[in-house]
């Protein structure tokens, strides 16, 4: 049984339609990545999962429970780490965790044992008894992760957990997420960092403009959407005539989708191919035409290639497109009760 | 399950709903008191301001001719009741501020993600906190006014003072919590508090008796809830036997007894809680 089942979710903020029929299924025990540029609908999706928002249409199931009918039961099963960490600056980290434990109705003894355990796992020993107002971004995020995990939820949902963090905090968080997955906790994280999803996720969905536009394991997505990349140089510096000749020779080869002459790289050839066997077929073809091979390398496409193919723009371009379009103040207001 | 560790339940589901409610309310209240202890300026300002009123305003009219005030009371003692009520009232009016900041900074969302047994515990915690704070501040004023010679009520009188303040604090706490959800931000809330505070004080019997006022103001003052709190407390300070059935306010529309004063405050408190209830239900749904 999947831990998360979202079906045809729609959500609008006034005239802006944030989610346009988003569907998502996350299997149990999976570390699931939600990739998309800012403004794609990741945060809205996660806020709906955390029972902070009700969708305008669609169904939300978490751990087999209907989140719209039994939000309280869902809250017991779910740990939520928000993007903008709201903490009480005047309390110490330990007091924040104790408060959190009480709100989840943990017994004091068990609560304190859990806190001790999380102090160890997240390296919070030296600063947890300081007031939260003095914390760095990384400390805050670790504290927030700890409060999300305090009640041992079967599902942990994180909204851009490592944005703007130092390398050490990021690696501590990555390590913990991997560990959690090994222990059977289902983890859903949103990110607009390709490397993060690539490094962590078992499965992923690409979200763009309020919909899921691609879903699967990172490898599947690359295979399905991107094909493989092959870079070919017949000699170190070729010329236009020869490159064009090779292009015409290779284009009909079975499994070759596209051949592009890269003028900027000494007239090398960039190919998009399907499957592993294409390389040997290319070699045969080149041998038959008695052409030399200076370099021939095959590589998997990156997630960026996948994103590019799915949306027609790179993730970077998508990010740039929404800069200045989003009104942070308005968004904060819309999340206010 | 052989491991002793594994037998500890992850979640205290077998704890009853009431115990859950108590645990979450207590935790939220504890947070507010920790804030108060570490940032005591609210508490201190809340005591200093009425104290300055009492000292300066009390001195302003200390040479007024005797017998001018009802019952031949000195002005300091007359003013004492007004300042005690003003203290509790100002404190209660600020009840919504911490909640408003929690709304604005997203801390409320953190609370709403937790499986609270009832989200009313957020409101309960605010009421418990602000009630204790206001009563504490009022007690400080009661103590100080006794020290500077403005008198001290009897035991029964003190009980009446506390009951009256409690009703008043409940009423204005409800109002303030309602505003904290209804208004868009803390600037608006502070503006409303600022605008409401002094006029309500001046249009009451806190500083002068009804007989000093022009008829329009005496109408306003005898409709003002503060007056219904001030008069029983003033009676408690007057000395002599306490008679709640006796007339405490000679309003333009007729005589008002002590019981009637308390009933008005009680109905106001209940009425305001009923009034904000739909709003709370919607905002905390």
């Amino acid at each position: 049984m999947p831990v998360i089942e979202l079906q045809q979710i729609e959500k609008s903020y006034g005239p802006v339609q944030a989610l346009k029929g988003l569907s998502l299924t996350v299997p149990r025990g999976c570390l699931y990545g939600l990739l998309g540029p800012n403004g794609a609908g990741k945060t809205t999706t996660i806020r709906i999962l955390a029972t902070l928002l009700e969708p305008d249409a669609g169904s939300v199931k978490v751990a087999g429970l209907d989140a719209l009918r039994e939000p309280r039961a869902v809250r017991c099963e779910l740990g939520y780490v928000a993007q903008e960490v709201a903490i009480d600056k005047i309390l110490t980290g330990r007091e924040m965790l104790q408060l959190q434990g009480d709100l989840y109705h943990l017994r004091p003894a068990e609560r304190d044992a859990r806190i001790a355990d999380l102090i160890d796992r997240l390296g919070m020993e030296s600063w947890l008894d300081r007031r939260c107002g003095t914390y760095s971004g990384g400390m805050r995020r670790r504290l927030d992760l700890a409060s999300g995990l305090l009640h041992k939820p079967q599902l942990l949902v994180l909204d851009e957990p490592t944005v703007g963090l130092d390398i050490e905090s990021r690696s501590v968080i990555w390590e913990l997420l991997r560990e959690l997955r090994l222990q059977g906790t289902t983890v859903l994280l949103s990110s607009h960092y390709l490397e993060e999803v690539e490094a962590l996720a078992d499965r992923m969905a690409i979200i763009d403009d309020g919909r899921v536009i691609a879903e699967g394991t990172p490898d599947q997505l690359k295979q399905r959407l991107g094909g493989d990349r092959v870079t070919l140089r017949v000699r170190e510096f070729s010329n236009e005539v020869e490159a064009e000749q090779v292009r015409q020779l290779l284009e009909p080869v079975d499994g070759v989708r596209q051949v592009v002459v890269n003028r900027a790289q000494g007239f090398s050839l960039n190919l998009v191919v399907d499957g592993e066997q294409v390389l040997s077929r290319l070699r045969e073809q080149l041998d038959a035409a008695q052409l030399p091979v200076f370099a021939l390398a095959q590589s998997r496409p990156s997630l960026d290639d996948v994103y590019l193919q799915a949306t027609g723009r790179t993730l970077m371009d998508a990010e740039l497109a929404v800069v200045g379009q989003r009104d942070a103040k308005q968004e904060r207001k819309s999340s206010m009760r | 399950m052989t491991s002793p560790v594994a037998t500890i339940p992850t979640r205290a589901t077998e704890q009853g709903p009431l115990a859950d409610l108590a645990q979450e309310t207590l935790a939220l209240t504890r947070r507010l008191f920790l804030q108060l202890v570490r940032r005591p300026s609210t508490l201190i300002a809340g005591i200093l301001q009425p104290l300055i009123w009492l000292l300066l305003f009390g001195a302003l009219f200390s040479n007024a001719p005797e017998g001018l005030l009802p019952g031949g009371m000195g002005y300091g003692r007359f003013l004492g009741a007004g300042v005690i009520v003003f203290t509790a009232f100002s404190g209660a009016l600020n009840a919504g501020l911490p909640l408003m900041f929690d709304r604005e900074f997203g801390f409320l969302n953190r609370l709403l993600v937790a499986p609270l047994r009832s989200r009313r515990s957020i409101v309960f915690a605010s009421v418990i906190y602000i009630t204790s704070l206001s009563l504490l501040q009022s007690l400080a004023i009661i103590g100080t006014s006794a020290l500077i010679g403005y008198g001290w009520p009897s035991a029964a009188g003190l009980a009446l003072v506390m009951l009256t303040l409690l009703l008043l604090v409940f009423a204005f706490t409800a109002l303030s919590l309602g505003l904290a959800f209804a208004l868009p931000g803390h600037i608006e809330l502070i503006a409303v508090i600022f605008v409401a505070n002094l006029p309500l004080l001046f249009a009451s019997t806190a500083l002068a008796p009804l007989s000093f006022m022009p008829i329009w103001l005496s109408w306003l003052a005898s409709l003002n809830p503060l007056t219904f709190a001030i008069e029983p407390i003033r009676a408690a300070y007057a000395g002599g036997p306490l008679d709640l059935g006796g007339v405490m306010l000679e309003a333009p529309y007729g005589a008002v007894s002590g019981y009637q004063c308390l009933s008005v405050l009680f109905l106001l408190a209940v009425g305001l809680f009923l009034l904000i209830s739909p709003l709370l239900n919607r905002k905390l749904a």
Side-chain angles (χ1 to χ4, degrees):
Chain A
M1 185 185 60
V3 175
I4 297 176
E5 275 181 284
L6 296 180
Q7 272 172 16
Q8 293 300 318
I9 303 292
E10 288 173 26
K11 179 71 191 174
S12 297
Y13 301 104
V16 182
Q17 209 183 350
L19 298 181
K20 303 171 178 173
L22 180 136
S23 299
L24 191 70
T25 304
V26 176
R28 184 170 298 278
C30 180
L31 210 167
Y32 200 98
L34 220 49
L35 179 70
N38 281 321
K42 302 190 300 291
T43 297
T44 302
T45 306
I46 283 182
R47 289 173 62 83
I48 286 173
L49 279 172
T51 73
L52 280 173
L53 271 183
E54 277 199 15
D56 301 332
S59 79
V60 184
K61 275 194 167 180
V62 176
L65 300 156
D66 185 335
L68 305 177
R69 290 223 182 86
E70 303 177 82
R72 207 182 94 81
V74 166
R75 284 175 205 130
C76 289
E77 305 303 331
L78 176 137
Y80 170 54
V81 180
Q83 194 174 7
E84 291 257 327
V85 195
I87 53 171
D88 192 332
K89 290 185 180 175
I90 209 158
L91 299 187
T92 67
R94 190 184 301 273
E95 286 161 349
M96 282 287 298
L97 291 179
Q98 287 167 342
L99 172 66
Q100 192 84 8
D102 284 333
L103 297 182
Y104 283 84
H105 310 120
L106 302 184
R107 297 282 163 71
E110 206 231 334
R111 178 193 71 188
D112 295 340
R114 275 299 283 166
I115 293 175
D117 177 37
L118 287 163
I119 286 174
D120 263 8
R121 288 167 77 171
L122 283 158
M124 304 189 291
E125 181 67 56
S126 56
W127 46 265
L128 195 68
D129 288 307
R130 279 179 14 210
R131 291 192 192 178
C132 297
T134 66
Y135 290 179
S136 69
M139 293 175 184
R140 281 167 165 237
R141 204 60 58 89
R142 287 192 223 180
L143 176 65
D144 224 42
L145 198 55
S147 41
L149 287 171
L150 203 58
H151 60 294
K152 292 189 179 164
Q154 54 168 304
L155 169 66
L156 182 70
V157 177
L158 308 103
D159 196 0
E160 311 236 1
T162 62
V163 163
L165 286 196
D166 56 288
I167 291 173
E168 194 217 329
S169 293
R170 180 190 274 220
S171 77
V172 168
I173 289 174
W174 281 17
E175 208 44 57
L176 183 74
L177 293 182
R178 290 197 179 107
E179 205 180 299
L180 283 170
R181 191 245 328 256
L182 284 180
Q183 291 164 0
T185 306
T186 310
V187 179
L188 174 80
L189 89 150
S190 78
S191 183
H192 63 272
Y193 292 146
L194 292 160
E195 322 84 77
E196 184 158 81
V197 174
E198 184 120 53
L200 290 175
D202 307 317
R203 288 187 78 83
M204 61 176 291
I206 296 178
I207 296 193
D208 192 61
D209 196 25
R211 288 189 195 89
V212 171
I213 52 168
E215 205 273 340
T217 68
D219 280 346
Q220 279 173 349
L221 285 183
K222 289 174 196 166
Q223 198 122 24
R224 196 186 309 154
L225 283 166
D228 274 13
R229 305 290 142 136
V230 171
T231 313
L232 167 68
R233 285 162 185 257
V234 285
R235 47 187 114 244
E236 189 165 12
F237 296 101
S238 184
N239 59 55
E240 192 166 5
V241 180
E242 189 179 46
E244 186 57 32
Q245 185 192 343
V246 177
R247 190 180 74 79
Q248 284 173 11
L249 175 75
L250 296 184
E251 223 163 28
V253 172
D254 187 30
V256 173
R257 285 199 210 167
Q258 198 185 1
V259 185
V260 177
V261 176
N262 191 340
R263 289 159 186 274
Q265 298 285 329
F267 294 99
S268 66
L269 290 125
N270 293 354
L271 293 78
V272 180
V273 301
D274 290 315
E276 311 273 324
Q277 311 85 343
V278 183
L279 221 53
S280 52
R281 264 182 250 138
L282 290 175
R283 260 185 210 285
E284 283 166 23
Q285 200 71 356
L286 290 166
D287 280 349
Q290 297 192 325
L291 279 162
V293 175
F294 175 74
L296 181 64
Q298 184 168 10
S299 64
R300 313 304 297 278
S302 69
L303 280 178
D304 208 19
D305 294 324
V306 173
Y307 187 83
L308 175 67
Q309 185 112 1
T311 64
R313 55 185 181 170
T314 64
L315 193 55
M316 178 84 85
D317 288 337
E319 292 277 301
L320 289 175
V322 291
V323 168
Q325 251 184 42
R326 301 187 87 192
D327 184 350
K329 218 171 159 186
Q330 197 57 45
E331 279 171 26
R332 186 143 148 190
K333 252 197 169 140
S334 73
S335 75
M336 206 171 125
R337 289 267 177 159
Chain B
M1 300 238 176
T2 46
S3 152
V5 182
T7 56
I8 300 174
T10 306
R11 232 164 280 117
T13 36
E14 64 274 41
Q15 190 173 296
L18 272 181
D20 280 357
L21 193 65
Q23 189 180 14
E24 65 202 33
T25 306
L26 205 69
L28 291 168
T29 312
R30 179 166 176 266
R31 166 178 174 239
L32 292 171
F33 275 104
L34 278 174
Q35 286 179 337
L36 180 70
V37 169
R38 291 185 191 160
R39 219 182 287 166
S41 47
T42 329
L43 177 70
I44 294 167
I47 292 174
L48 270 186
Q49 193 203 16
L51 219 55
I52 293 168
W53 277 96
L54 194 65
L55 291 174
L56 292 186
F57 233 88
L60 194 59
F61 292 108
S62 57
N63 290 335
E66 276 194 29
L68 204 62
L69 292 164
M73 216 182 236
Y75 188 70
R77 179 176 287 213
F78 178 86
L79 183 67
V83 171
I84 289 166
V85 166
F86 178 63
T87 310
F89 159 72
S90 308
L93 212 50
N94 285 312
L97 268 180
L99 191 59
M100 179 58 99
F101 284 122
D102 281 353
R103 273 181 75 204
E104 282 184 299
F105 293 120
F107 200 87
L108 185 64
N109 278 337
R110 175 192 281 273
L111 304 182
L112 296 182
V113 172
L116 298 179
R117 188 55 77 159
S118 163
R119 290 174 166 183
R120 287 300 175 93
S121 55
I122 299 168
V123 176
F124 294 156
S126 285
V127 172
I128 293 171
Y129 166 72
I130 214 72
T131 308
S132 336
L133 180 61
S134 303
L135 292 186
L136 197 71
Q137 288 170 338
S138 300
L139 276 175
I141 302 298
I142 290 172
T144 320
S145 69
L147 277 181
I148 56 179
Y150 292 158
W152 178 260
S154 65
L158 195 62
L160 176 63
V161 172
M162 284 298 141
L163 174 67
T164 311
L165 290 180
L166 207 59
L167 291 174
L168 184 79
V169 167
F170 279 157
F172 282 97
T173 299
L175 182 70
S176 185
L177 291 176
L179 287 173
F181 276 116
L183 296 175
H186 73 273
I187 302 202
E188 289 81 359
L189 181 60
I190 289 173
V192 170
I193 292 172
F194 190 72
V195 166
N197 210 345
L198 287 186
L200 269 167
L201 176 72
F202 289 137
S204 77
T205 58
L207 307 178
L210 282 183
S211 57
F212 285 23
M213 301 176 190
I215 185 73
W216 62 268
L217 187 58
S218 72
W219 266 97
L220 278 184
S222 43
L223 294 172
N224 184 342
L226 290 193
T227 300
F228 293 99
I230 292 164
E231 293 307 324
I233 292 176
R234 194 163 280 155
Y237 265 88
L242 203 57
D243 178 17
L244 281 177
V247 173
M248 291 194 174
L249 181 69
E250 290 284 0
Y253 49 77
V256 182
S257 75
Y259 284 122
Q260 284 166 330
C261 284
L262 293 180
S263 307
V264 167
L265 291 179
F266 177 74
L267 290 176
L268 186 72
V270 172
L272 282 170
F273 269 108
L274 289 179
L275 186 73
I276 66 164
S277 204
L279 181 69
L280 295 187
N281 284 342
R282 200 172 62 226
K283 292 287 186 169
L284 295 176

